[in-house]
Amino acid sequence: MVKLRLLVSTLVVLAAVDQRVVQAGRPAWSWLTDSSDITLVPEQDERNESVQPLAPNRRQPVDESYRLPSTTAPIHYHLALRTAIHENNRQFSGVVTIQLKVLETTSTITLLNRRLTIQRARLLNDATGEEIEQPSFVTDQRTEHLTFSMSRVLQAGEQYKLWIEFGGQLQNNNNMGFFASSYLDNDGVRHYLASSKFEPTHARSAFPCYDEPKLKATFELELTHSRQYNAVANMPANGAPVPDPDNADYVTTRFEKSQILSTYLLAFAVSDFTIRTTGKQDVYARSNVFDETAFPLDMGNRVLDALGVYTDISYYDFMPKMTQIAIPDRGTGAMENWGLVAYGEPVLLFNPTINSYRNRKSVTTIIAHEYAHQWFGNLVSPDWWEFIWLNEGFATVYEYYGAQLAHPEGQYWELFTVEVVQNAFSADASESVRPMNWNAGSPDEIAALFDTVAYDKSGSVLNMFREVLGDDIWRQGLKRYMTARQLDGAVAADLYTGLHEALQATNAGFLPAGVTVSDLMESWTSAAGFPVLNVRRTYNDDHSIILSQERFLSNRQLPNSHVFHIPFDFTDGATRDFTPSPAGFHWLSSKASKIATTVPNDQWIIFNRQQTGYYRVNYDTENWELLIATLRTDPTRIHHRNRAQLVNDAYNLARAERLDFAVALRLMSYLKHETEYAPWSAAGSALTYFYNKLRGTPSYEHFRVYVNYILADAYAALSIDTVTPQETMLQLYLKQFITTWACRIEHPDCLARTQQALRSAYDARTPVHPDISTAVYCNGLIDVSDEIFVWIYEQFKNSRNQAHRSVLIDALACTRNAGQLESLLSVALGTGNEFEAMLATERTRIVSAIYGASRAGVDALIDFLAKPTNVPEFVNRLGQSTLNSAISNIASRTNNPAELDRLDALLSILGSNIPETVASSARATVQNNFNWFTSYEGLVALEFFEKFATMPQEL
């Protein structure tokens, strides 16, 4: 075995140094992964800040002691901060003067403070600024309440100023509060910067404040910093920086008085970045990626203008400018600060020579998500975090819809169903999931609300009502809602009122008798989960249908008395009208109902046209058979979004034991004739589920026959190793999907063509076209020489584009060569100048990419960890949680006795290096994998694949 570390000095294993624990990224093909089956390390959501797993079922009273008393409220802040981040000095100091009003008679003023050192405080006369007294103060560490006690009683209606001097420490690359980041210039010199991210409860870690969303105020900000640096904030600078009288090396940048805003939306940064400007928008980024700021600046202008027209409320009526800033080593999150939107570099910067169509899509939709927040969250903020879906749900809808408005040829809206609705279904089918309206008290509880419910479920429900009301009425309702609550907080009822008023103004006959918009929407926003609509046709002379509803759960069926107001529409094989319209919707507002139709008994029927409704649909056996027959003969007779719906619903209904699994698998076999991306994407989770179950077992070959059968026609129609200018984004998505699966099941032509494409690129020393690079690099590297492997590693080492570096990490992890994999793991632990440019997230991404790419990667990781000298270094550099996660993922990918023997041996070697709970959980996971083969689901699936392998036309 050739050791790459003997071939190239850059891959030498060096001694590890202490490194903070970080979260891993996803493998190159993990967009195919069924998260219910594979254990993955949590990661940052591309649309916003770090997204949490779904909150547990916390049905207990909220501890209101974390809330501020209602005795005083802010009017205006004057905040002055001083930082020496240019020297990598993490200390900062500040003075804040808060103009406040007294709402109830009190002798105390309570703010919020997290780990700030309060040095002095003075209560001042609001009109004259004269000192009244120097109050005593104390911070409650649990509630973070900073309470100032006065010797006098403050009367309701009075106004004061509270002056506070304080100090703090920049947090370290954790995307919270006032935090430090860094980057390397082209000469390898490290530069430091400081920026803010305050949502949801982190403003209090930068300055004492009323850190609750409803307690809005105006802000005047000044930042003192190195004269070699610049400062940026929500508002434009108020003139040129002013020399600091105490130190000639510093200047103070003062900013114009802000609009009324919540503390979590205040934002600023101090850096040596360069700026690109067009009109009233600009982009800040480090100078060595300046060329990568042109695309986001152009797209930002397009999106902001398009959303202004759509909402009929111009952004510039409230804010004078818009700045986007790319923060290095911030991950893939973004934050919608009013007038200063902050992004991790991979989701803002775009270089067309190395970044793919997927990067372009991510940059576009994330800009649209954050810009949608300028209305939904910034202009109107949630009264309390209970209603965070009023921010994130709307932003999720308009990240796709707004991108489509700004760039219609991009086809972004086509991805909403498979990326949002179907993703929401997956997470929302648990018995313990929370509803959209869900209160929280402590900061930890508040942070847990930023979950899939807040984003994808809420976006799905809101879009359902947009479709049902019709976009025109919807927009009128949003205009009423935002006009009524602008520069203030809102609760769910405010939205309902705006929509109801718009509906009444049009005299549209939309509402069921005696039902309000509030009644309709509350049945979705205040109830956990979502329903399955059961459709049972009677096949008699009146062509009647019995409809019923119940809550859909992925693993059980339980009685539930809740009734969703379900808007339903349908079409059939004779009419084939798949266009949703307000006039076509009806309501199921009871547990069951019988309706009459004119649909012939020999024609299929489909409910939920284009899957605009947030519910699954199950049919009687005969209707499923009619649908399967049509899909197999001419799938174009059914709209492609409904084809995606049928695939996704059938698979998940089968997993929930509501439909025979053989029916779902027979339906999926129609994909042999499928040419659209959405149905293939919907099939991805099912295919991955069975791949993970069957790989390494005797039944795997039967599964390969099935997958090869459904892929054959689509694969033959694609040119997997070239890209033409005429290919659309969806065609590129489809090409990557088909290529990934063809190579994954070891299709000889796929492997040969990707390996040849990589060899040709190497011979010409020309990078592979970015739009096919993921498939070509990963599959081409399966069996590759050390020279080509090193060539790609050198591209990674020299790249300054974080998104590009992630693609190359995932590619390198695809090799099946044990020596190359060992060397790559050594890179993850490397120290010294060779590895100075590596981000902590990149180191952990290497590990997760290796175990995620192939069983060869799993075995290489086992071999690496089985060497006792490697384990302390692994934990020291990557953290205990990375080791624990690696063990869990090795177990998830253990499918046969030989693999179990390898895992058992590793657990014995590791001994006390991992918690006993991790070891026992790993063994339980393997046992569950083995038990699946004797489960009802497993036996049905195995029988189907075995029969299909011998007689596919008979199934």
Side-chain angles (χ1 to χ4, degrees), residues 751 754-756 758-759 773-793 807-817 820-821 824:
L751 294 176
T754 53
Q755 288 169 3
Q756 180 56 49
L758 180 57
R759 164 59 69 175
S773 61
T774 296
V776 169
Y777 279 141
C778 183
N779 298 302
L781 272 161
I782 287 175
D783 181 19
V784 75
S785 68
D786 289 337
E787 290 76 17
I788 295 179
F789 186 85
V790 171
W791 177 63
I792 294 178
Y793 174 78
V807 168
L808 295 173
I809 286 174
D810 295 340
L812 292 165
C814 290
T815 179
R816 307 288 174 85
N817 183 295
Q820 293 168 358
L821 287 167
L824 187 58

Side-chain angles (χ1 to χ4, degrees), residues 732-754:
L732 292 169
Y733 266 94
L734 177 63
K735 178 187 290 190
Q736 181 168 337
F737 185 100
I738 298 299
T739 305
T740 298
W741 272 103
C743 285
R744 196 177 188 187
I745 62 168
E746 300 177 346
H747 190 294
D749 184 71
C750 183
L751 294 176
R753 289 170 69 181
T754 53

Side-chain angles (χ1 to χ4, degrees), residues 94-111:
V95 173
V96 64
T97 302
I98 308 174
Q99 182 185 22
L100 58 91
K101 55 188 173 184
V102 181
L103 304 178
E104 301 173 11
T105 300
T106 182
S107 59
T108 61
I109 298 173
T110 303
L111 310 178

Side-chain angles (χ1 to χ4, degrees), residues 526-737:
S526 290
F530 63 94
V532 54
L533 179 67
N534 298 304
V535 178
R536 182 180 181 276
R537 301 173 67 182
T538 60
Y539 301 99
N540 55 22
D541 292 341
D542 66 1
H543 310 295
S544 60
I545 297 175
I546 297 173
L547 301 177
S548 64
Q549 64 164 289
E550 55 188 310
R551 181 177 172 184
F552 180 85
L553 297 172
S554 61
N555 60 350
R556 66 182 69 187
Q557 298 181 36
L558 294 176
N560 187 285
S561 61
H562 180 75
V563 174
F564 294 89
H565 289 283
I566 300 178
F568 68 86
D569 60 353
F570 58 89
T571 189
D572 61 85
T575 59
R576 295 177 54 235
D577 178 7
F578 284 94
T579 303
S581 67
F585 284 102
H586 309 276
W587 293 93
L588 178 63
S589 296
S590 58
K591 277 292 187 181
S593 180
K594 188 175 183 179
I595 63 172
T597 74
T598 59
V599 180
N601 290 337
D602 62 349
Q603 295 291 327
W604 51 260
I605 193 166
I606 285 180
F607 276 68
N608 197 6
R609 291 184 292 185
Q610 296 194 40
Q611 202 171 25
T612 57
Y614 184 62
Y615 52 90
R616 295 200 184 280
V617 184
N618 197 5
Y619 301 98
D620 59 81
T621 301
E622 188 168 344
N623 195 70
W624 277 116
E625 294 302 327
L626 290 170
L627 289 167
I628 292 172
T630 297
L631 288 170
R632 286 182 166 184
T633 55
D634 184 7
T636 63
R637 292 182 61 82
I638 297 174
H639 194 281
H640 62 273
R641 292 183 193 166
N642 281 106
R643 302 200 298 268
Q645 172 203 22
L646 291 169
V647 170
N648 183 258
D649 278 355
Y651 165 67
N652 285 282
L653 289 165
R655 290 290 313 277
E657 299 184 1
R658 295 174 180 268
L659 181 67
D660 189 329
F661 230 124
V663 173
L665 291 169
R666 284 196 304 111
L667 183 145
M668 282 177 54
S669 68
Y670 100 88
L671 289 166
K672 177 178 175 62
H673 309 294
E674 184 57 75
T675 60
E676 295 281 351
Y677 170 69
W680 280 106
S681 177
S685 59
L687 295 176
T688 301
Y689 178 76
F690 288 114
Y691 175 87
N692 291 331
K693 293 295 185 187
L694 300 176
R695 181 214 50 79
T697 73
S699 298
Y700 177 63
E701 188 59 34
H702 300 150
F703 172 72
R704 284 186 66 228
V705 171
Y706 177 78
V707 177
N708 186 66
Y709 171 84
I710 63 177
L711 286 175
D713 291 357
Y715 178 81
L718 296 174
S719 176
I720 69 171
D721 49 7
T722 61
V723 178
T724 65
Q726 292 74 34
E727 288 181 280
T728 67
M729 180 183 72
L730 291 180
Q731 288 171 332
L732 292 169
Y733 266 94
L734 177 63
K735 178 187 290 190
Q736 181 168 337
F737 185 100

Side-chain angles (χ1 to χ4, degrees), residues 329-354:
D329 200 12
R330 190 196 187 280
T332 54
M335 180 58 207
E336 67 266 19
N337 316 298
W338 211 359
L340 177 60
V341 181
Y343 305 80
E345 286 189 348
V347 294
L348 183 66
L349 303 178
F350 181 77
N351 182 339
T353 65
I354 58 175

Side-chain angles (χ1 to χ4, degrees), residues 804-879:
H804 183 229
R805 288 169 64 88
S806 294
V807 168
L808 295 173
I809 286 174
D810 295 340
L812 292 165
C814 290
T815 179
R816 307 288 174 85
N817 183 295
Q820 293 168 358
L821 287 167
E822 182 182 1
S823 297
L824 187 58
L825 285 165
S826 299
V827 167
L829 307 185
T831 62
N833 292 335
E834 286 288 344
F835 307 98
E836 181 69 17
M838 285 187 66
L839 303 177
T841 50
E842 292 175 337
R843 296 177 184 274
T844 52
R845 188 185 187 103
I846 287 174
V847 177
S848 62
I850 285 174
Y851 63 61
S854 67
R855 178 64 204 187
V858 173
D859 287 334
L861 181 59
I862 290 174
D863 291 340
F864 190 84
L865 295 175
K867 296 178 181 178
T869 56
N870 285 342
V871 176
E873 187 178 11
F874 188 100
V875 173
N876 187 42
R877 169 60 71 179
L878 305 179

Side-chain angles (χ1 to χ4, degrees), residues 22-150:
V22 296
Q23 296 176 330
R26 60 177 64 177
W29 45 263
S30 73
W31 50 280
L32 299 172
T33 301
D34 180 357
S35 60
S36 67
D37 185 60
I38 296 297
T39 304
L40 293 176
V41 178
E43 62 186 299
Q44 287 186 311
D45 180 82
E46 290 181 340
R47 291 185 297 276
N48 209 285
E49 54 284 329
S50 181
V51 172
Q52 306 295 323
L54 288 175
N57 190 359
R58 306 186 320 270
R59 298 190 180 279
Q60 78 274 10
V62 168
D63 186 351
E64 295 289 347
S65 67
Y66 290 94
R67 296 290 300 270
L68 288 172
S70 57
T71 52
T72 63
I75 300 171
H76 176 73
Y77 294 82
H78 184 283
L79 175 61
L81 294 172
R82 184 184 187 95
T83 174
I85 187 59
H86 65 292
E87 299 174 343
N88 194 23
N89 184 334
R90 301 305 174 91
Q91 301 297 316
F92 69 90
S93 59
V95 173
V96 64
T97 302
I98 308 174
Q99 182 185 22
L100 58 91
K101 55 188 173 184
V102 181
L103 304 178
E104 301 173 11
T105 300
T106 182
S107 59
T108 61
I109 298 173
T110 303
L111 310 178
L112 287 160
N113 166 35
R114 180 177 296 155
R115 293 189 294 274
L116 295 171
T117 301
I118 308 302
Q119 293 156 347
R120 290 184 297 164
R122 295 186 293 171
L123 184 68
L124 309 176
N125 183 289
D126 181 45
T128 66
E130 294 180 357
E131 180 178 313
I132 298 173
E133 66 173 291
Q134 295 187 16
S136 60
F137 51 85
V138 64
T139 296
D140 183 319
Q141 299 301 319
R142 182 184 69 86
T143 63
E144 301 180 330
H145 285 190
L146 169 61
T147 302
F148 296 89
S149 299
M150 316 297 165

